[in-house]
Structure formats: C-alpha cells, structure tokens
Amino acid sequence: MVQKWQHWNNRSAKWLWILVIIGMVASLPVAYSRIQTEHTSQNVEFVFNYRDLISIASYQPHPQDYIREQLQLLKNAGVGSVALYQSNLPELQSSGRLHVYSSADVANRQNQVIPLNDNFTYVQFTSKENEEMLRPVLERVFNSLAIPVSSWTYQNLPGLVIQTSTDDAGLKPLDPDPVAMKMLHDMGFQIVPRLNDALPYNQNVMSQMLDEFTTYGVKTILFDGASVTGFNDDIEKHTITAFASLLKKHNLAIAAIENLKKPQDGFSKLAYLNNYNVVRLYSLSQADSQLDPITVADRFVLASKDRNIRMMYINLAVSRDTTKAAMTNSIDNVILSLQEKGHAIQDIQKNGFTLGPAVARDVHTFPMERYVKLIVLIGAIAAIALLAYYFVRKLTLAVFVLGLIGSAGLIAIHKSLLLEQGVALLAAISIPTIAMIYAVKAVDRMYESRSSLTVGKRVGQSILLFLRTSLWSLTGALFIIGLLDDITYQLVINQFRGVSLLHFAPIALTALYIAFYRGKESFGFAGIRKLLTRPITLTWVIVLGIVGVVGMYYLSRTGNAGTVSPLEMHFRNALEGLFNVRPRNKEFLMAHPIFIVGIFIAAKYRQAIYLLIIASIGQLSMVDTFAHIHSPVLISLTRGLLGMALGLVLGLVAIVIWQIIERCWRKWAPSLFKS
C-alpha cells in the first residue's frame, strides 16, 4: 500500500502541472474583465478643503474678497470641487452669517436683569438672505434633538432662541453652510460634503439634507471622523441600512480615503449596501502641501496612474513665518504644482484622464465567471501541491486532496474571503519558488557539461534561463488576479493579507533547496536530524547574524511602510519621467543582474549557485507587484517586463565586469602569491 501511494505521488507531477496550466488559462478572462473595469472610471477630480481656506482668510484684511479671489485662482488652476464640512454655530459666526449670544449677553445689551434660571442661546442673523437659508437648518436640527426653538428679534434683525446653553448649541453639527454652498455652486464648483456621525441618526433630517445636496448637484459624500454616518446607532436601529437607501435614492457615491491608519467604522458595510458606488481618494496633508511643487505634482500623477485613485483632496496650510514677519500659506505652492511648475494637470491628461467629477467603476463580469474561478482555485491548489512535491514528495497528493477538502469546507461555511486570500498567497509563493528550483537544476546541468561550454554559450544560456524563469514566475500573478478579482480589493475595502510571507518565503525555500535538496528527491528526517546535530560554530553565528540583519532591512523596504532615501526618491522620479512606469529598483538594479551573472559564474564555479538565493528576490517581487490589487493590471505587467529588460542589460554588463576581473586574476594572481 505504501509503495502504491508513493508510486502515485511520483506520477502526480504531470497531472498537477496540467491542472496548473488550465487554472492559469482560466484566469485570463478574469484578468480581461478586471482590465475593462479599470478603464471605466477615467475622470480625475481635484477637491480642496474649504475650511482651510476660511482659516487662511481670517488673517487677511478683507477676508471675503480674499476668499473669492483665491477661489477663482484655484478654479483656473484646475481645481473643480470644494469639500464642505458640516458647520456649527461658531463657524457660522466666524463666517459673518450670524451672531451668537448667551442669555446674560442679551440681558446686558438690553439693560435687563440677568435671568437666574435661563441659560439659552440667542442667534441673530446678519442679513435677510442668511435668515432665509439658515433658519430652516437650525430649526430642523435642533427640533430633531428635542431642543425647543423660537423666533427672536433684536435691533430689527431676525433671530432665534435655542433653549440650550451656547456651549452645548455650539457643539451640535449642522448642515454644511448653505450660503457657502450657493456661492460655490454659482461659481461653478462641485460640492463634496463631509458628514460626521456625532448626532443620533435621524432619517428625516438626513433625507432633507440629501435633498438639498441634490439641488446643488452633489455626486459624492466624504465622511469626517472615525466612522461613517449612522454607524453609532446601527446595532440598535440599523441606521447604516437606512442611510444607504437614501444614498441609492439620490445616486450618491462615497469616498474611500487612502492610507488611513484604521478604516472608517461601518464603511465596508455602507459600501456594500450602496452597491460599491465608491471612489478612492488621495489626501494631500497640510504639511505635504508645502513640499516642492514638482514633488506634490508627482504624488497626484502617481496616485491617478499607479493606484487608480480618482479624487485628489487638497489640504491647505497656514503658518507664522517670523523670518518674514508675516502669515504664510500653501495656496500658491499647490497652484504651482498643478500648473506651470509641476504640470500635474497636464501630465494627468497626458496619461489619458480627464478633469471632472470622479465616478465609481462599472464592474465588468462575464457568463460562468463563478465556475471559471473554481477552475482557477483548483489550479492554484495544484500549484501548492507541486511545491510540496519538490520538498516532501510523499505528501504531494495529501496536500492536493486536503486543499480541495479544506476549500470545500470554507465555501460551505461562507468563508470565501479567507479561502481566496489563503490559496492566492500560497500559490503566489509556490510558482516563483518552483521556477527557481528548475533554474537551479538547469544550472547544475550546465555545470556538469562545463567543459563543452564556451563563454558565448554560457552567456546565451544565462539569458535564456533568466527569461524563462522570470516569465514563469510572472505567471504566478495569474492566480492573484483570478482569485482576488472582487471590486472590494480594487477599492482597498478588503486587503490581501500575508504579503510579508510572500516577501520572505520564496527566498527561504530557494535557499533550503540549494543547500539540502540538490541531487536528492527529498531531504528527509535523516537530513534534518543530521543538520540539528551539527555543532554550532562562530562562523554559523556570524552568517546567521548577517542574514538576519539583511532580512530585516529587506522587509523594512517592502510594502507601503517601506522607506527610501531622498537620493533614491530622485532616482525613482527620474525613472518615472523616462519610462512613465517605474520598475522596482530591487529587481533591475540587484536581483535580475545577480541572477544572470550568477548563472554565468555557477556554470563554471559550482559554489556560485548560492547567488541565486539573492536572485530569487526579483522573481517574488514581480509576483508581489500584482499583490497591490489597487494598481492597474497593465501597469503592474509593464513594471515587471521593464524591470526584466533593464535587469538583462545590467546583467550583461555584470558579466563583462566579471570576465575582466577573472582574466586579471588569472594574469596577476600567480605573481602575487609568488611574491
């Protein structure tokens, strides 16, 4: 029985490869649908924070004139939208819409005795127009909170009495300033309201607010704070569901802010209920708005092209500059980044985008997609089993069968998210690792026939083996695309977890194979026992220490949290400007050239095979590029192929340098040792 099982394990590789290839082919229509989806949203919208402009204007001698002047300059620069926060009484007073008094203030102004048991808020509108637009808002919000509101007049100006303290009344969020909304709309700006979740959710109040938004042509809602509107009351009252119904009724999208430390609570549920009518938003911070205009422009251009972001949110900074004895701000800097110095608008349009209100993607699907993804899943499981075949051959069929059973179980208990991410991750690890294993075997065959290999043949075989291995590794991306094609990954509502394992596992497995599996079917328990009983020498400690330090540095450079030096940033920007798509430095500057020169050297000097451990970084990196699912497929593919081309050129240069070093060593080494 054991021998029969081993026989089937040995013969399973052929059938597993067939399943892998079928799975890869099945992923192609999924990839095509995703590319179609990525091309359905081509408008890029620039939005600036109106609250910051108000803050800047407060330091000007003529605030209202300054606001209108800067609004026109921003509009001329290409900024077409304005973000308006929910207002409150202090903000409306600062804007000159109304005056706020306490009961004591009113008593003093009217030469009356200060009331002992009244602590109300008195609001006086500064004009008839302000009253017409603000009175309905104040009455609606405070009445919804069971706070009585009545009319009041002082010095022939209309007002309201709100029966709560000025401190309490000032904390209550109101609608976005309707006077500002009208002014901005009349100037041709698109309005992007920022709503919070500070008050108990009220469906009638929210319905009236959204009706008002519709009259001003609002298309997108942006949330302010740690949660979406309706989240705090959702458990008891299902308020997110109610809010979503209003969003769908008014055909309003919601904006997903990129790179938040923590996603806004309730956003994923609201996005689902709103049929994923979602646009992604990049936020330029106040500090970043003061960077060099070219740097600011690059961020806008890369966000639109490389990360599929369609809404650019601009925060403006104001600060005291004691060296100039003046208040400074970043408005002019932002305008320069968009126009004559940074050319952000021009570059974005050059990339095929148009300026306009951002819209959600139109998700493309095709018939039988569900069953096609099942074929992709089986192919991915077969790839994982193949990896086991090259390390623990006895477990090959067991891994495949258990993978199928486990997948069926996760589907049955509705854990498809865990299933697709886990299988995609393991398949993405397996394919480049298997490609490296075949490369190691090919190099060993080259070494065995080294006597018949000329320099030209070694160069040719090094190039062919590099191209074959790299293209093979790239096919691992098909399983990521085929399994993680849901729109939630493209919107970064769901994220591909475990990518750090992808950064490390293929390197470790390649090293394990080179060190212990070359020329063997299996390392086995005897090999493990022998390894564990070896004495630990100082050399081993030093080597492991170096590996640990290098590994930590490598991991620190991966992912979104990786850091780069200013010099490297300039180099990256130069590549972007030259090729319009920036290849990964660790691929074409390090891993790919080391792969090519490593094969060339290892074909003659056996121990040079260990260079392929470092070279495996390039293979996994190409697959890892596709793990950034928010990036367009074609951009990721171009980045990988461009890295291969540049790496090939540098690899050939490295071979020439090695040949020079080798010949110099042969010529001068005998005389050096003789002396």
Side-chain angles (χ1 to χ4, degrees), residues 610-627:
Y610 287 92
L611 288 172
L612 295 191
I613 298 174
I614 301 174
S616 65
I617 293 174
Q619 304 303 304
L620 70 91
S621 178
M622 289 190 294
V623 180
D624 174 62
T625 298
F626 291 85

Side-chain angles (χ1 to χ4, degrees), residues 160-172:
L160 294 173
V161 180
I162 304 171
Q163 294 188 26
T164 186
S165 68
T166 54
D167 289 334
D168 183 60
L171 291 173
K172 301 297 187 279

Side-chain angles (χ1 to χ4, degrees), residues 446 449-463 596 599-601 603-605 652 655-660 662-663 666:
M446 290 173 62
S449 59
R450 60 189 180 280
S451 58
S452 61
L453 289 178
T454 62
V455 171
K457 286 184 178 180
R458 285 165 60 197
V459 172
Q461 292 194 27
S462 297
I463 294 172
I596 295 168
I599 296 170
F600 180 81
I601 299 171
K604 187 174 182 181
Y605 304 101
L652 293 176
I655 288 176
V656 172
I657 293 173
W658 171 259
Q659 283 290 94
I660 294 172
E662 188 179 36
R663 290 183 181 182
R666 287 178 180 174

Side-chain angles (χ1 to χ4, degrees), residues 238-298:
H238 305 290
T239 46
I240 289 182
T241 302
F243 183 44
S245 68
L246 292 178
L247 291 176
K248 288 194 290 186
K249 174 185 174 182
H250 294 85
N251 192 29
L252 292 173
I254 56 177
I257 305 172
E258 185 195 42
N259 287 339
L260 288 177
K261 292 182 179 179
K262 179 179 177 293
Q264 290 173 307
D265 293 329
F267 190 92
S268 60
K269 180 178 180 179
L270 182 61
Y272 168 74
L273 295 172
N274 198 34
N275 298 327
Y276 293 109
N277 190 3
V278 177
V279 296
R280 295 189 66 224
L281 178 146
Y282 165 72
S283 180
L284 182 76
S285 68
Q286 291 183 343
D288 288 350
S289 71
Q290 301 176 80
L291 295 173
D292 179 82
I294 296 176
T295 302
V296 175
D298 285 340

Side-chain angles (χ1 to χ4, degrees), residues 25-102:
V25 173
S27 70
L28 294 177
V30 181
Y32 180 69
S33 292
R34 177 175 155 187
I35 292 171
Q36 286 183 304
T37 298
E38 290 172 345
H39 282 81
T40 57
S41 174
Q42 296 297 93
N43 282 359
V44 174
E45 180 177 5
F46 283 87
V47 187
F48 77 94
N49 185 343
Y50 187 70
R51 179 177 285 178
D52 288 343
L53 182 59
I54 296 295
S55 177
I56 293 170
S58 66
Y59 296 97
Q60 307 301 319
H62 304 288
Q64 296 303 318
D65 293 342
Y66 180 84
I67 288 173
R68 287 187 172 274
E69 177 186 339
Q70 298 305 314
L71 285 172
Q72 193 60 53
L73 289 174
L74 287 164
K75 193 173 191 305
N76 294 341
V79 179
S81 301
V82 181
L84 280 178
Y85 286 81
Q86 287 186 253
S87 61
N88 53 47
L89 290 179
E91 285 188 4
L92 292 174
Q93 180 168 251
S94 298
S95 300
R97 312 283 189 238
L98 48 77
H99 298 299
V100 179
Y101 305 110
S102 66

Side-chain angles (χ1 to χ4, degrees), residues 473-611:
S473 294
L474 266 177
T475 61
L478 291 173
F479 290 117
I480 295 177
I481 296 171
L483 292 173
L484 306 180
D485 71 319
D486 193 90
I487 188 64
T488 58
Y489 292 104
Q490 299 176 44
L491 296 174
V492 200
I493 295 172
N494 284 322
Q495 295 195 52
F496 187 16
R497 307 292 179 183
V499 177
S500 293
L501 186 61
L502 175 57
H503 295 152
F504 179 73
I507 304 172
L509 291 172
T510 301
L512 183 65
Y513 187 85
I514 290 175
F516 303 113
Y517 282 82
R518 292 165 65 201
K520 309 180 185 68
E521 281 192 3
S522 176
F523 183 48
F525 292 106
I528 295 174
R529 191 183 304 113
K530 183 178 179 181
L531 175 63
L532 293 176
T533 55
R534 282 185 179 180
I536 300 176
T537 63
L538 180 60
T539 303
W540 275 100
V541 173
I542 294 173
V543 169
L544 291 175
I546 294 173
V547 170
V549 171
V550 172
M552 290 178 64
Y553 175 74
Y554 165 70
L555 289 176
S556 72
R557 294 295 308 275
T558 60
N560 294 327
T563 57
V564 295
S565 65
L567 179 62
E568 186 175 353
M569 184 59 69
H570 284 298
F571 181 63
R572 287 184 174 191
N573 293 338
L575 289 173
E576 189 75 33
L578 183 61
F579 298 109
N580 200 37
V581 175
R582 178 181 60 80
R584 286 188 160 185
N585 291 352
K586 60 187 173 186
E587 292 177 20
F588 81 93
L589 286 179
M590 180 186 70
H592 291 341
I594 289 176
F595 194 115
I596 295 168
V597 75
I599 296 170
F600 180 81
I601 299 171
K604 187 174 182 181
Y605 304 101
R606 185 175 179 83
Q607 296 305 314
I609 193 77
Y610 287 92
L611 288 172

Side-chain angles (χ1 to χ4, degrees), residues 81-186:
S81 301
V82 181
L84 280 178
Y85 286 81
Q86 287 186 253
S87 61
N88 53 47
L89 290 179
E91 285 188 4
L92 292 174
Q93 180 168 251
S94 298
S95 300
R97 312 283 189 238
L98 48 77
H99 298 299
V100 179
Y101 305 110
S102 66
S103 295
D105 293 332
V106 172
N108 288 328
R109 285 174 174 272
Q110 296 179 342
N111 294 319
Q112 297 175 352
V113 177
I114 297 175
L116 297 178
N117 198 35
D118 288 349
N119 188 16
F120 297 159
T121 300
Y122 290 77
V123 173
Q124 182 187 46
F125 301 107
T126 56
S127 69
K128 186 65 176 176
E129 180 188 11
N130 288 341
E131 182 204 9
E132 291 175 354
M133 301 193 74
L134 291 172
R135 177 187 284 269
V137 174
L138 297 181
E139 290 179 337
R140 182 174 70 244
V141 172
F142 286 103
N143 285 332
S144 71
L145 298 172
I147 299 175
V149 178
S150 57
S151 296
W152 174 68
T153 302
Y154 178 64
Q155 294 182 342
N156 297 322
L157 287 174
L160 294 173
V161 180
I162 304 171
Q163 294 188 26
T164 186
S165 68
T166 54
D167 289 334
D168 183 60
L171 291 173
K172 301 297 187 279
L174 309 171
D175 295 6
D177 182 355
V179 179
M181 287 182 66
K182 183 178 184 306
M183 177 201 55
L184 293 166
H185 181 263
D186 291 344

Side-chain angles (χ1 to χ4, degrees), residues 292-358:
D292 179 82
I294 296 176
T295 302
V296 175
D298 285 340
R299 295 191 177 189
F300 290 140
V301 174
L302 292 177
S304 61
K305 177 171 64 70
D306 285 13
R307 303 201 299 278
N308 270 327
I309 291 175
R310 298 295 178 261
M311 186 173 279
M312 310 297 169
Y313 190 89
I314 301 171
N315 289 290
L316 303 172
V318 59
S319 59
R320 296 176 182 272
D321 191 337
T322 56
T323 61
K324 297 179 180 179
M327 300 297 297
T328 60
N329 62 68
S330 60
I331 295 179
D332 292 340
N333 195 63
V334 168
I335 291 174
L336 285 173
S337 73
L338 297 177
Q339 292 296 331
E340 62 254 27
K341 191 169 183 180
H343 304 292
I345 300 293
Q346 178 182 333
D347 290 343
I348 287 172
Q349 292 175 328
K350 196 180 296 182
N351 289 330
F353 300 105
T354 56
L355 294 184

